Amino acid sequence: CHVTGDFGFERSEDLFLEATERLAACDTSESVGAAAQLCYDHGHVALAVELWGRGASRGFPICIRNYAASLEGEGEHGQRTAQRWWQTGAAQGDMYCRAQWGKALWDGLAGVARDREKACELFQEAAEAGEPVGMLCTAMLYDVKWQQTEDPTAKARLARRC
């Protein structure tokens, strides 16, 4: 409200940033994630990334996924760091992170050792949980397998799995 001046609040960047820091200081996944998202939405990207990083280091799932995503476009070091965070989130059971970690394993991104079998497992788990990236990656794998399969019985098995 301090950004827009809505509901009788004084329009002030300083008050917005102060309120955001107070929200983040509550130190819960929801508060840090919300504070970072507010900063991002209002153009304070560097502060948002800092807050996501702070939350990620505390193990907050939404912060892990947003921090990893924010690092991916930051050169080779950012890519490598992002992959570690995708792996951390995947280990915590976050399905979006599992799908992203699966992509890293599939392609061998940023120095990650290629492990397509593990990538398929992660895609499948994420897809079964209804995670859209996992569903897309799983569907693409089935499509590739379908095109490479000549055996009608094997094609029928693949069709049932989809």
Side-chain angles (χ1 to χ4, degrees), residues 87-153:
Q87 183 180 24
T88 298
Q92 289 182 355
D94 183 285
M95 291 302 151
Y96 181 76
C97 289
R98 284 188 182 205
Q100 294 297 336
W101 179 235
K103 288 169 52 178
L105 290 169
W106 182 267
D107 290 329
L109 297 175
V112 172
R114 219 178 233 185
D115 185 344
R116 291 193 164 169
E117 187 174 319
K118 180 65 176 174
C120 288
E121 288 174 26
L122 292 168
F123 293 151
Q124 189 69 39
E125 289 172 7
E128 288 172 1
E131 204 296 307
V133 174
M135 295 168 81
L136 175 64
C137 292
T138 300
M140 291 171 64
L141 292 176
Y142 280 131
D143 183 52
V144 167
K145 288 179 183 179
W146 177 272
Q147 291 177 26
Q148 293 174 347
T149 301
E150 299 293 327
D151 177 17
T153 306

Side-chain angles (χ1 to χ4, degrees), residues 23-113:
L23 177 62
C26 293
D27 203 33
T28 66
S29 180
E30 293 81 12
S31 66
V32 176
Q37 192 63 51
L38 281 169
C39 288
Y40 183 82
D41 291 346
H42 293 286
H44 299 281
V45 177
L47 180 55
V49 172
E50 178 187 325
L51 290 171
W52 283 324
R54 190 185 316 168
S57 66
R58 301 268 296 129
F60 299 153
I62 192 66
C63 293
I64 290 172
R65 64 166 59 180
N66 287 334
Y67 189 53
S70 72
L71 293 171
E72 285 197 322
E74 299 299 319
E76 186 176 330
H77 176 71
Q79 279 284 334
R80 288 181 186 278
T81 305
Q83 300 320 315
R84 285 195 302 270
W85 283 111
W86 291 133
Q87 183 180 24
T88 298
Q92 289 182 355
D94 183 285
M95 291 302 151
Y96 181 76
C97 289
R98 284 188 182 205
Q100 294 297 336
W101 179 235
K103 288 169 52 178
L105 290 169
W106 182 267
D107 290 329
L109 297 175
V112 172

Side-chain angles (χ1 to χ4, degrees), residues 4-44:
T4 62
D6 290 344
F7 306 110
F9 283 87
E10 176 186 348
R11 187 181 176 125
S12 165
E13 269 314 286
D14 291 337
L15 290 174
F16 166 75
L17 294 172
E18 182 184 321
T20 303
E21 280 293 338
R22 280 197 316 262
L23 177 62
C26 293
D27 203 33
T28 66
S29 180
E30 293 81 12
S31 66
V32 176
Q37 192 63 51
L38 281 169
C39 288
Y40 183 82
D41 291 346
H42 293 286
H44 299 281

